[in-house]
């Protein structure tokens, strides 16, 4: 059993427990449930912004603790001020040190789209995302069947949420593309062994239909790489660890963005 299998197994337990503790009616009565989500496309393609989806992540299974000294409020507001097009907030507890409260905290102080970064396997988690104030949900092709992707995407769209599909190779991409997606992300990190290879993005970009926003995720640490990815056809760039591993992630992102050049 690899780390991804372990995460999904634990996630099934978490979801079952959450359903017992908080009813769907309670989620539907939550503060943010009836808010209209921001348009991922509108913010991502805004030329005044960087195209970066900046991630708040305390730790990971491969790196251990990355940064547990900063608050979600200070980091995400600094990301937004530095030109982030969207925010990504980890809500997985056991493997990434996140919490649903992190998403609530980020929503309270930001007016840009927020991705609930988690391992989504059940419609209940999508209801949670809406109740927490998320604008975007993540569907990971490696852990879902094509039918599950379609069912979850259709449900998310019925709630007005944006849907980002994550793939790691051509096979996942070809079996997973459906009209209900807003964006397709290429994760340059192999979730089975956590190795990274930026070439994965360059190899898959032309295989992604132009109907969707194209996102490159992980293994981005140099502004030059973003310029190259943008020239290849990518619209957005998810970066977390490169900023979070510093003492001041917001300042790190601001410095990174200042080095970007127009392509």
């Amino acid at each position: 059993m690899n780390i991804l299998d372990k995460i999904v197994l634990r996630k099934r337990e978490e979801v079952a427990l959450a359903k017992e503790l908080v009813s769907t009616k309670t989620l539907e009565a939550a503060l943010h449930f009836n808010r209209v989500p921001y348009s991922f496309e509108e913010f991502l393609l805004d030329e005044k912004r960087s195209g970066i989806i900046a991630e708040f992540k305390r730790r990971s299974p491969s790196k251990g603790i990355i940064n547990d000294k900063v608050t979600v409020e200070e980091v995400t507001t600094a990301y937004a001020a530095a030109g982030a097009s969207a925010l990504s907030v980890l809500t997985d507890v056991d493997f990434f040190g996140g919490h649903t409260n992190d998403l609530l905290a980020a929503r309270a102080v930001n007016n840009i789209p927020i991705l609930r970064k988690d391992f989504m396997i059940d419609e209940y988690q999508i209801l949670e995302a809406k109740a927490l104030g998320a604008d975007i949900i993540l569907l990971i092709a490696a852990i879902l069947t094509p039918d599950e992707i379609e069912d979850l995407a259709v449900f998310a769209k019925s709630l007005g949420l944006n849907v980002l599909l994550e793939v790691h190779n051509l096979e996942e991409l070809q079996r997973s593309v459906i009209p209900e997606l807003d964006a397709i992300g290429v994760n340059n990190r192999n979730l089975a062994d956590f190795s990274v290879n930026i070439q994965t993005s360059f190899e898959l970009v032309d295989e992604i239909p132009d109907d969707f926003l194209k996102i490159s995720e992980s293994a981005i640490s140099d502004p030059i790489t973003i310029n190259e990815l943008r020239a290849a056809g990518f619209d957005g760039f998810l970066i977390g660890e490169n900023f979070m591993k510093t003492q001041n992630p917001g300042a790190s992102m601001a410095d990174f963005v200042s080095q970007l050049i127009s392509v």
Side-chain angles (χ1 to χ4, degrees):
M1 183 180 292
N2 62 35
I3 187 63
L4 190 57
D5 295 328
K6 293 177 182 177
I7 290 173
V8 173
L9 190 64
R10 174 61 183 138
K11 197 59 56 178
R12 297 193 188 284
E13 296 172 347
E14 284 181 19
V15 172
L17 178 60
K19 287 180 177 179
E20 292 180 5
L21 295 176
V22 182
S23 70
T24 56
K25 285 188 176 181
T26 299
L27 292 177
E28 291 168 352
L31 173 65
H32 298 300
F33 195 84
N34 290 319
R35 70 175 282 271
V36 177
Y38 292 118
S39 164
F40 188 24
E41 180 179 23
E42 181 181 329
F43 278 78
L44 197 66
L45 300 183
D46 183 349
E47 293 181 355
K48 297 177 183 176
R49 298 182 180 274
S50 64
I52 293 174
I53 304 154
E55 187 162 273
F56 181 84
K57 176 168 65 174
R58 292 188 181 88
R59 61 183 172 91
S60 75
S62 60
K63 300 288 185 179
I65 293 175
I66 299 169
N67 190 337
D68 60 358
K69 306 299 183 185
V70 291
T71 69
V72 65
E73 292 93 343
E74 66 179 299
V75 171
T76 57
T77 53
Y79 280 162
S85 296
L87 303 168
S88 173
V89 178
L90 267 294
T91 56
D92 176 80
V93 178
D94 290 352
F95 296 90
F96 289 87
H99 198 280
T100 52
N101 285 340
D102 291 335
L103 184 46
L104 278 173
R107 175 79 288 151
V109 294
N110 288 285
N111 296 310
I112 64 174
I114 301 178
L115 165 69
R116 181 189 183 180
K117 186 78 174 291
D118 211 319
F119 298 80
M120 311 295 274
I121 56 172
D122 193 287
E123 286 185 359
Y124 182 88
Q125 294 167 288
I126 297 175
L127 286 173
E128 275 186 328
K130 187 74 160 67
L132 294 166
D135 305 278
I136 313 161
I137 59 117
L138 179 71
L139 299 179
I140 301 174
I143 64 173
L144 299 168
T145 67
D147 285 345
E148 288 171 332
I149 290 170
E150 182 170 15
D151 289 345
L152 293 174
V154 168
F155 184 65
K157 297 303 289 183
S158 76
L159 298 176
L161 293 165
N162 301 266
V163 180
L164 168 61
L165 173 74
E166 178 177 291
V167 301
H168 301 83
N169 55 50
L170 183 59
E171 184 273 331
E172 288 180 2
L173 174 63
Q174 291 178 332
R175 68 173 165 82
S176 304
V177 175
I178 55 172
E180 288 77 16
L181 305 173
D182 295 284
I184 296 178
V186 178
N187 195 337
N188 302 304
R189 188 184 306 278
N190 184 321
L191 289 183
D193 61 15
F194 284 88
S195 61
V196 294
N197 184 1
I198 193 68
Q199 285 304 121
T200 306
S201 281
F202 292 106
E203 291 168 2
L204 292 183
V205 63
D206 290 334
E207 304 293 337
I208 301 173
D210 291 335
D211 303 355
F212 308 103
L213 297 167
K214 302 182 183 185
I215 315 294
S216 181
E217 307 172 9
S218 301
I220 302 172
S221 59
D222 189 328
I224 293 175
T225 303
I226 283 199
N227 292 319
E228 293 171 344
L229 288 166
R230 196 185 296 279
F234 282 98
D235 304 296
F237 319 91
L238 193 148
I239 305 176
E241 185 178 311
N242 188 62
F243 302 144
M244 287 299 297
K245 68 184 181 182
T246 66
Q247 287 188 333
N248 190 329
S252 175
M253 177 176 167
D255 179 63
F256 188 96
V257 170
S258 73
Q259 299 176 60
L260 293 176
I261 57 174
S262 298
V263 177

